[in-house]
Amino acid sequence: MRADLPTVVGLVIGIVVVAFVGLTVAGFVLLARRARREASSPAPGRTSAGVSLVQADDAIKAGDDELDFALAQFGEERTREFATVLARAKADLTRAFRLQQQLDDGTPDSEQQRTEWTRQIRSLADGARESVTAMTASFDELRRSEAGAPETLAVLRASLVALASRRAAGADTISELRTRYLDSAIGTVDADLAAADAALSSATTAVDEADAALAASTVPNVVDQLAAAHAALGTATRRLDAIDHRRDELAAAEASIAELVRHASDAIAAARSLRDAPPDPDSADEVNAAIAALQGELGAAAASGRVDPAARLDRLVDASDKLDIAVASAQNQQRRLDGARSALGGALVSARSQIAAVTDYIDGHRGGVGAQARTRLAEAQRQLVLAQNEADPVAALDIARRAQTDARDADALARYDTGG
C-alpha cells in the first residue's frame, strides 16, 4: 500500500489540475458569451434617443401643417411667434440628426462621447417636440375661443375644390407617366393617388359635418371637425405633390442623360487617344474596359420604348465615373478635374431625385418610419448641400456620391420599417 501512495497522490493532483483548467476554460467561455450579448444589445439611451428623434420629426411635420392652418385663420402677425418657434425646433432637430449620424457612422467613438451625444440628441429632440406641441395646443385653445369658424370653413371648402381639381390632374399625370416609363421608375404614384383620394374623402366628410354642426351649435363644437378637415387636406396635398415631384424628377433625369450623352463622345475620344499611347499596359487595359462599359450604357440610353430614366442615369453616371477614374490614373490632374465636372451635374441630379423620393415616402408614412431612415435622409441632405457648395469638382463628385448612397440607405430602411 505504501508503494502505491505516490501513484494515488499523483492521480489526485492530476484530477485537481484538470478540474481547475476545465473550470477556468468554462469561466472564460461564459464571460465571452456575456460580453457578446452585451455588445449586441443596444444601449437603452440609444433606443430612447431614436424614439425622441422620430417623435420630434413627426411633431415638426405636424407643426408645419398646423402653422399653415393658423395662417389661414389668424394671419401672419398673430402666427409670427409660432413660425419662430417652429424654425428654432427645425434647427435643433437638424443638430440632433447630425449627432445621431456621428453615432451611426463607422468612426469609433469613446463611451463618454456616445453617452454625451445620446443625451444631447434626446435633449434637442424632446425640446423641439415640446415647444412645437405647446404652440399647437395654444392655437387649438385660441380656436375654441374665436368666432372665425365660418370663415375657416369657407377657406377649407375652397381648398377642397382646388385639391379635387389637382387630383384629376394627378390622375392624368400618372397615365402619361405610364406611357413613357417603366413601373420601376414611377414608384409609388398609384399609392399616392389612392391615399390622396382617401384623404379628400375624409376632408369632405369633416367639412360637411362642420357645416351641419355650425348651423346647429356653437363654434367650439366644430373645432375638431375643422382641424380634421385641415389635416386630411394636408395629407392630400403632400400625396399629390409627390406625384408632381416624381414627374419632375424623371424629366430632370432624362435631361441629364441627354447632357451626359453629349459629353460622352468627347470623353471616349480623349480616352481612346490615351489608351493608344498609355503610360503603362495596365492603364491601357483599365481605360479600354471603361470605354467598353460606357459605350454599352450609351447604347442602352439610345434604346426606345418605356424606360426607367433614374436607373439609366445612375448606370450612365457610374460608367462615366469609371472612365474618369481610369483616365485620371493615366493622365494629369487637370483632365481628372474636367471629367469630374462632366459627371458632377448628373450625380447631383441623381442625388436630388433620390432624396426627394425618400423624403416624400417618409412624409407619406410618418410615424411608421424609424430614426435610422430619417437620420440617413438628413445626412444625405447635408452631403448634397456640401456637394453643391464644394469648389473642387472631384471632391464635390465624391460628396454627391455619398449623398446618393445615404439616400439609398434611407429608402431601404424606410421601406423596411413600413414593410414596403
Side-chain angles (χ1 to χ4, degrees):
M1 295 295 293
R2 287 177 184 172
D4 294 335
L5 184 57
T7 303
V8 173
V9 171
L11 288 173
V12 171
I13 292 174
I15 291 170
V16 171
V17 169
V18 170
F20 176 76
V21 172
L23 289 172
T24 302
V25 171
F28 277 121
V29 170
L30 291 173
L31 286 173
R33 288 177 179 173
R34 179 181 177 185
R36 285 196 298 270
R37 285 197 302 269
E38 291 176 351
S40 64
S41 300
R46 293 284 294 279
T47 303
S48 61
V51 172
S52 294
L53 281 172
V54 171
Q55 291 176 341
D57 199 26
D58 283 342
I60 287 174
K61 287 179 170 62
D64 276 326
D65 295 340
E66 182 66 23
L67 180 57
D68 288 341
F69 193 22
L71 277 167
Q73 285 185 291
F74 306 118
E76 184 176 349
E77 182 63 30
R78 296 179 69 182
T79 57
R80 194 179 307 280
E81 183 183 1
F82 194 172
T84 300
V85 168
L86 190 59
R88 188 182 303 119
K90 288 179 179 179
D92 286 345
L93 184 61
T94 297
R95 290 171 57 198
F97 273 128
R98 180 65 186 132
L99 289 170
Q100 184 66 48
Q101 176 63 29
Q102 289 177 247
L103 286 174
D104 291 346
D105 63 23
T107 304
D109 307 313
S110 69
E111 186 61 34
Q112 182 179 357
Q113 285 176 317
R114 290 194 295 271
T115 300
E116 177 59 22
W117 290 345
T118 299
R119 185 195 65 77
Q120 290 182 40
I121 290 168
R122 292 185 59 189
S123 177
L124 288 167
D126 290 345
R129 174 181 54 79
E130 290 165 3
S131 63
V132 173
T133 301
M135 290 301 300
T136 300
S138 69
F139 273 88
D140 282 343
E141 186 62 29
L142 183 60
R143 286 192 189 95
R144 297 180 187 277
S145 62
E146 296 253 349
E151 292 78 6
T152 301
L153 183 59
V155 170
L156 292 174
R157 279 202 179 279
S159 297
L160 190 57
V161 171
L163 283 173
S165 177
R166 276 199 65 191
R167 188 270 173 209
D172 291 341
T173 296
I174 292 176
S175 297
E176 181 183 354
L177 293 177
R178 290 205 174 282
T179 64
R180 299 178 59 185
Y181 305 119
L182 295 173
D183 291 345
S184 60
I186 297 173
T188 61
V189 291
D190 285 331
D192 289 326
L193 188 63
D197 286 340
L200 288 173
S201 177
S202 298
T204 300
T205 300
V207 166
D208 290 342
E209 290 177 352
D211 204 4
L214 195 60
S217 185
T218 58
V219 172
N221 291 332
V222 302
V223 171
D224 291 339
Q225 288 94 333
L226 295 178
H230 176 73
L233 290 173
T235 297
T237 298
R238 287 190 295 274
R239 288 307 185 99
L240 293 174
D241 285 345
I243 295 173
D244 292 343
H245 291 166
R246 195 56 185 162
R247 175 201 61 203
D248 296 342
E249 290 153 16
L250 293 172
E254 287 186 313
S256 291
I257 288 172
E259 184 69 15
L260 279 175
V261 168
R262 282 195 294 271
H263 288 290
S265 58
D266 292 338
I268 289 175
R272 281 175 176 158
S273 64
L274 182 63
R275 174 199 61 189
D276 295 338
D280 58 75
D282 289 340
S283 294
D285 292 341
E286 291 177 4
V287 171
N288 207 38
I291 289 173
L294 182 54
Q295 286 177 322
E297 293 302 332
L298 290 174
S304 59
R306 295 169 67 218
V307 298
D308 185 339
R312 179 171 289 179
L313 177 60
D314 281 346
R315 293 193 298 270
L316 194 56
V317 168
D318 287 342
S320 297
D321 286 349
K322 290 175 181 177
L323 181 59
D324 292 337
I325 292 170
V327 168
S329 67
Q331 208 175 32
N332 60 35
Q333 178 65 9
Q334 186 57 49
R335 292 296 299 169
R336 184 166 180 257
L337 290 174
D338 292 341
R341 289 191 186 96
S342 176
L344 178 58
L348 288 173
V349 170
S350 180
R352 289 191 200 102
S353 174
Q354 293 176 44
I355 288 171
V358 72
T359 297
D360 287 333
Y361 189 87
I362 292 175
D363 285 351
H365 295 80
R366 293 206 173 173
V369 179
Q372 280 192 309
R374 297 169 194 249
T375 299
R376 292 298 183 281
L377 175 59
E379 180 62 8
Q381 292 167 334
R382 188 183 76 87
Q383 295 284 357
L384 178 59
V385 171
L386 291 176
Q388 291 169 334
N389 291 284
E390 174 58 55
D392 181 356
V394 175
L397 183 58
D398 289 340
I399 297 169
R401 302 302 275 164
R402 289 199 295 272
Q404 288 177 291
T405 299
D406 286 327
R408 289 172 185 149
D409 290 345
D411 184 74
L413 289 165
R415 292 179 188 279
Y416 178 82
D417 288 341
T418 59

